[in-house]
Amino acid sequence: MQGYRFTDFVPEDTVREGTYDSLWNIYKELLLITAGDPNEALSWLTNLDKQYHISTKNYGIGDFIDDLKKKGYLSENPENGKLKITAKTESDFRKSALEEIFGKLRKSGSGNHKTFVNGQGDEKGVDLRDFQFGDSPDNISMTNSIRNAQINHGTGEFMLTEGDLEVVDNEYRTQTSTVLMIDISHSMILYGEDRITPAKKVAMALSELILKKYKKDTLDVIVFGNDAWQIEIKDLPYLSVGPYHTNTVAGLELAMDILRKRKNHNKQIFMITDGKPTCMKVGVKYYKNSFGLDPKIIKQTLNLAASCRKLNIPITTFMIASDPYLKQFVKEFTAANNGNAYYSDLKGLGNIVFEDFKKNRRKNYRW
């Protein structure tokens, strides 16, 4: 008697979609490593596919490239055929980084960052208080007010007076201006360890968090090597390390200039680095010393840390290294600024930045 053998039915579209997702996740990582060069990233992806057989017979790298163009992630230069990533890809980078780094953390509500201060804010809280002249009628708690009227005047004839009214206090929401400093000196890729890619991911995740959740905040990103300059958030995927020394002085000076123009009371600097200051500009020339901690450079760096302290600008240093002499420098730097310092490996960098971002915003609040 002839029987039947049943197997799982897997539609072809599902196979294509699963293969596409796998290739896309790998390709995004390669794009970050290659500083946003889609052609070099595709070359690496092709080599990986030859070795690990990521694609299938029904869905190859060519199909993947066509899908990226159709979905709007890649555009092609008609003159030379070179590919270029689009604004949609840059946005997807930030979203993916946010999900990867912050996705597993507990959600902390919507809107802006909470403080421990109540007042005429923009979102209702849970605390009740007596009605005051000028309070919005929308904030009156009718249930509690009617209960007060019955307690104060009895239930015979209903009477509601101003003294019976209670209102729900609004929570005042803070606005914070943050400058994120990223070290792009040569040491960020020294000894075969890629430190710049995790730093870029953290920057993209933080920018996406602020753009989507804390829209009243500002985030400025600057990079520092021999000099320091500001970059746009959309340029983060293209960030790469250069043959630079570490001019922390220039980075701090630029960060202070940016924050002086911000009207928010709450201001802070996040600095991601893996080494000591080794460079500063004196006039038109560069003063450099990569051997040990140069007293001249360190003195100027500490002076700037103290200046930030006087301006109520805390600096949080995320040191991707744990050398003893670096710890001593960071300790002195943190003491001069009265800020914070963390020695983090690359894996835990994102969570630490996120938690400190929330903590600093609460702590720095002032009337």
Side-chain angles (χ1 to χ4, degrees):
M1 178 177 177
Q2 186 176 2
Y4 296 92
R5 176 170 295 179
F6 296 93
T7 59
D8 291 335
F9 172 69
V10 182
E12 183 177 347
D13 290 343
T14 304
V15 175
R16 289 174 60 91
E17 184 177 341
T19 307
Y20 168 82
D21 290 339
S22 298
L23 290 170
W24 177 231
N25 290 332
I26 297 171
Y27 185 58
K28 283 190 293 186
E29 291 292 327
L30 295 176
L31 278 173
L32 288 178
I33 295 172
T34 58
D37 188 333
N39 302 283
E40 185 179 358
L42 281 172
S43 177
W44 287 21
L45 182 63
T46 302
N47 290 332
L48 288 173
D49 184 47
K50 290 179 181 178
Q51 185 174 357
Y52 297 103
H53 308 291
I54 307 168
S55 65
T56 64
K57 294 180 180 179
N58 297 325
Y59 191 85
I61 299 297
D63 298 314
F64 175 65
I65 296 173
D66 290 339
D67 280 346
L68 290 179
K69 294 178 182 177
K70 292 176 183 177
K71 293 175 182 290
Y73 289 116
L74 287 180
S75 61
E76 185 174 354
N77 189 325
E79 297 180 359
N80 55 22
K82 290 287 187 180
L83 298 172
K84 182 181 179 181
I85 65 176
T86 63
K88 183 177 181 181
T89 309
E90 296 163 358
S91 176
D92 194 272
F93 276 148
R94 296 194 299 270
K95 292 177 182 176
S96 298
L98 182 63
E99 292 171 0
E100 177 185 344
I101 295 174
F102 302 150
K104 295 181 180 179
L105 296 177
R106 180 180 301 175
K107 293 182 179 179
S108 58
S110 59
N112 299 326
H113 307 274
K114 294 183 179 180
T115 68
F116 300 113
V117 182
N118 291 328
Q120 295 182 353
D122 52 12
E123 185 168 328
K124 288 187 177 180
V126 295
D127 295 331
L128 295 170
R129 60 173 174 80
D130 293 337
F131 177 84
Q132 297 176 358
F133 179 77
D135 285 333
S136 172
D138 294 337
N139 287 351
I140 295 176
S141 173
M142 295 307 301
T143 302
N144 288 280
S145 299
I146 292 173
R147 184 191 61 191
N148 293 338
Q150 292 175 338
I151 294 173
N152 296 334
H153 311 296
T155 58
E157 292 185 7
F158 178 75
M159 181 172 58
L160 183 67
T161 65
E162 182 179 340
D164 303 323
L165 297 178
E166 286 190 1
V167 296
V168 180
D169 234 346
N170 281 353
E171 290 181 345
Y172 192 91
R173 300 285 171 151
T174 65
Q175 297 178 14
T176 293
S177 292
T178 303
V179 172
L180 178 61
M181 295 173 51
I182 303 177
D183 184 353
I184 58 168
S185 63
H186 181 63
S187 62
M188 291 290 278
I189 56 170
L190 205 58
Y191 309 121
E193 186 173 20
D194 179 12
R195 297 170 176 173
I196 190 64
T197 299
K200 285 195 291 185
K201 280 189 178 182
V202 169
M204 289 189 293
L206 190 60
S207 63
E208 185 70 5
L209 181 75
I210 290 175
L211 290 173
K212 299 299 182 183
K213 187 175 182 181
Y214 305 129
K215 297 181 180 180
K216 295 182 181 179
D217 284 13
T218 65
L219 174 66
D220 296 281
V221 183
I222 63 177
V223 294
F224 61 104
N226 288 348
D227 294 291
W229 61 95
Q230 189 172 0
I231 65 171
E232 299 292 333
I233 290 175
K234 66 181 181 63
D235 295 328
L236 281 169
Y238 312 106
L239 191 60
S240 60
V241 169
Y244 307 127
H245 288 73
T246 307
N247 192 344
T248 309
V249 170
L252 291 173
E253 288 175 340
L254 179 56
M256 293 171 68
D257 288 341
I258 292 172
L259 290 175
R260 284 192 188 100
K261 301 174 184 177
R262 299 300 183 188
K263 303 303 181 183
N264 298 337
H265 287 297
N266 298 326
K267 302 176 182 181
Q268 62 182 351
I269 297 173
F270 283 179
M271 180 169 64
I272 301 176
T273 183
D274 73 331
K276 60 187 180 297
T278 60
C279 173
M280 59 182 288
K281 207 166 186 178
V282 180
V284 296
K285 294 184 178 180
Y286 292 99
Y287 176 81
K288 303 176 183 177
N289 184 2
S290 299
F291 303 98
L293 296 172
D294 187 282
K296 186 174 182 179
I297 299 174
I298 296 302
K299 180 181 178 181
Q300 183 61 19
T301 306
L302 296 178
N303 286 342
L304 286 173
S307 298
C308 286
R309 180 178 182 174
K310 293 178 181 177
L311 295 172
N312 293 313
I313 302 175
I315 303 172
T316 303
T317 305
F318 302 94
M319 181 63 71
I320 316 174
S322 57
D323 299 345
Y325 73 98
L326 284 179
K327 285 187 175 182
Q328 182 59 34
F329 158 70
V330 173
K331 184 177 179 180
E332 294 177 11
F333 181 84
T334 304
N337 176 257
N338 197 26
N340 296 301
Y342 298 93
Y343 302 93
S344 171
D345 58 17
L346 298 176
K347 187 176 180 180
L349 180 61
N351 288 354
I352 293 177
V353 170
F354 178 70
E355 292 295 347
D356 202 76
F357 175 73
K358 293 194 301 180
K359 182 177 69 175
N360 277 3
R361 299 195 80 271
R362 292 194 298 266
K363 181 179 64 179
N364 298 339
Y365 179 80
R366 302 189 314 279
W367 281 100

